Amino acid sequence: MKETTKALTELELNNIDYKLHEYPSSNGPVAAIDVANYMGFSVDRLVKTLVTTDHHGGYYVFCLPAANKIHLKKAAQFIGVRNLTMLQSEMFEELTGYVHGGCSPFGLKTKLPVYVEEKIFKWDTIYLSGGRIGLTIEINPRILQSHLDAHIGNFTH
């Protein structure tokens, strides 16, 4: 039986090419560096999906290399809001439909604006969550821009 998540369903319905990869996750979320080492690729190619809020009803998705940290002040300036904070756990699953550590920019429960760190475009393919912990998709980073109308910028440390 083929694995299915909301992210994979969205990719399939839109005929978007991707490769599926799994890694052991029986003990919950694992560190990005460990995932990259296990899978045999540079940690810079592993992309995490973060969700932020401006506390005025705005929610924003950021995709950036897992080894980097988001610079919230730079990110807020980039999108034109006063400030941003990470979304609290209790709102996260309700808004995205995903659990922390398994969030994908594809198949989000609520349509949200997506912002992508420009550093990921130096790769032909990147790895990001397939919609659950332990499931990763390998995909061309340009798909984020073309399919999700993602905005490209620099908002990492």
Side-chain angles (χ1 to χ4, degrees):
M1 187 170 128
K2 188 173 179 181
E3 174 82 33
T4 187
T5 65
K6 291 180 302 261
L8 299 181
T9 299
E10 181 175 329
L11 295 171
E12 292 289 334
L13 287 174
N14 290 281
N15 296 314
I16 295 172
D17 288 333
Y18 68 94
K19 290 182 189 168
L20 201 55
H21 303 276
E22 290 191 74
Y23 60 89
S25 62
S26 58
N27 295 329
V30 292
I33 188 80
D34 296 332
V35 172
N37 286 338
Y38 178 83
M39 308 264 289
F41 56 78
S42 168
V43 72
D44 293 333
R45 289 178 69 187
L46 184 61
V47 174
K48 61 185 170 186
T49 303
L50 305 176
V51 184
T52 62
T53 180
D54 62 11
H55 298 285
H56 296 289
Y59 300 99
Y60 312 90
V61 174
F62 288 89
C63 297
L64 57 143
N68 291 123
K69 291 187 177 179
I70 190 167
H71 189 294
L72 289 170
K73 188 173 277 232
K74 274 170 81 172
Q77 288 173 339
F78 183 77
I79 62 177
V81 296
R82 188 178 176 119
N83 58 41
L84 290 171
T85 58
M86 299 305 297
L87 190 62
Q88 296 299 310
S89 297
E90 53 274 5
M91 279 288 300
F92 189 88
E93 192 169 344
E94 181 183 324
L95 191 67
T96 66
Y98 294 117
V99 298
H100 276 284
C103 186
S104 176
F106 298 102
L108 291 169
K109 184 177 176 181
T110 307
K111 177 98 170 110
L112 299 171
V114 177
Y115 298 86
V116 179
E117 172 60 47
E118 64 190 11
K119 292 174 187 170
I120 71 166
F121 292 100
K122 71 179 181 181
W123 304 104
D124 290 335
T125 61
I126 56 168
Y127 298 82
L128 50 83
S129 177
R132 74 161 169 79
I133 297 169
L135 190 65
T136 302
I137 55 174
E138 181 180 356
I139 195 165
N140 182 316
R142 295 281 170 208
I143 297 299
L144 295 168
Q145 190 176 20
S146 63
H147 181 70
L148 299 176
D149 297 321
H151 308 276
I152 313 306
N154 180 307
F155 40 79
T156 59
H157 287 281

